[in-house]
Amino acid sequence: MYRLMAVCKRCGCAMPIGSKVCDMCSVYGAGTPVQQPQPWVPPADSVAPPQLASSAAAWAGGQARPSQPLELQKARKQVLRAARIFAILGGISAGIGVLAEVLDWTAVLGLFNWFSVVEGGIFIGLAYFARSGSIIAISLGAGLYFLDTIALLFSGHFSIFRLIVLAVLVRAVMAAKLLRQQPKAAAGADQFRAA
């Protein structure tokens, strides 16, 4: 019924019945057996990838993980965004506050007055220091904006836009913290490599 077919030991092809060599080996020669594929070996002059250069023991000491350049770029953008927000808030508060007091705009004097001019000046000062990545300036600015949001909530002048800006400022505080930890993590990794 069923016949078992013989298989060539060199190339793995089916052999005709009664033959000692398969059709492939008889045509192309039976001199060399089939070679197995060799594993890939990198060239001798290649450099090891940087992420594999340090051992896993460098991370075990509780040190902060060095951030990737993309994370650092995003963190710098968030810090600069916070500085721009502080500058815009300061300019608007100080500008409208001065105009409201000088021109005696009774419609806006409840929101913008000499207090808002002082607050605007503080925001402008914080924008200057936040631009350089100061975590203290960004935290103070976010806290001041939070207090201003609470005060406006109790006075009945609240908008959802303030919550969005507050979320952006909180992310900027975390980004400034990441940027502050970065030199420490790099120094710790360099010390471990030197040891």
Side-chain angles (χ1 to χ4, degrees):
M1 304 228 172
Y2 292 104
R3 292 184 180 177
L4 295 175
M5 188 172 282
V7 178
C8 178
K9 294 179 181 178
R10 289 190 182 110
C11 67
C13 290
M15 292 188 340
I17 297 177
S19 175
K20 299 219 181 235
V21 180
C22 72
D23 293 336
M24 294 299 289
C25 290
S26 64
V27 173
Y28 294 108
T32 60
V34 176
Q35 294 183 354
Q36 296 296 323
Q38 298 295 320
W40 181 81
V41 178
D45 60 345
S46 67
V47 179
Q51 68 267 25
L52 300 177
S54 64
S55 67
W59 309 107
Q63 299 170 348
R65 176 181 67 90
S67 301
Q68 300 298 323
L70 183 62
E71 290 177 5
L72 292 178
Q73 289 175 358
K74 287 182 180 180
R76 286 186 192 108
K77 285 181 183 179
Q78 289 174 348
V79 166
L80 290 176
R81 184 178 299 137
R84 283 188 215 112
I85 288 173
F86 293 151
I88 291 169
L89 288 173
I92 289 174
S93 293
I96 295 177
V98 167
L99 286 176
E101 287 291 338
V102 169
L103 299 176
D104 197 26
W105 286 346
T106 55
V108 294
L109 274 176
L111 290 175
F112 295 99
N113 47 30
W114 291 118
F115 176 75
S116 65
V117 173
V118 172
E119 183 183 34
I122 292 172
F123 272 125
I124 290 173
L126 290 174
Y128 174 76
F129 291 109
R131 186 159 180 80
S132 64
S134 171
I135 191 169
I136 296 170
I138 296 173
S139 299
L140 286 174
L144 181 61
Y145 190 76
F146 175 74
L147 292 175
D148 194 35
T149 302
I150 295 296
L152 286 176
L153 176 66
F154 285 123
S155 70
H157 299 93
F158 180 74
S159 71
I160 194 74
F161 178 74
R162 293 188 74 84
L163 291 179
I164 295 170
V165 172
L166 196 57
V168 170
L169 292 177
V170 168
R171 289 185 64 187
V173 170
M174 292 187 292
K177 183 178 178 185
L178 176 72
L179 288 175
R180 187 175 186 180
Q181 289 176 348
Q182 183 59 30
K184 294 177 184 177
D190 289 342
Q191 288 176 355
F192 183 78
R193 287 182 192 142

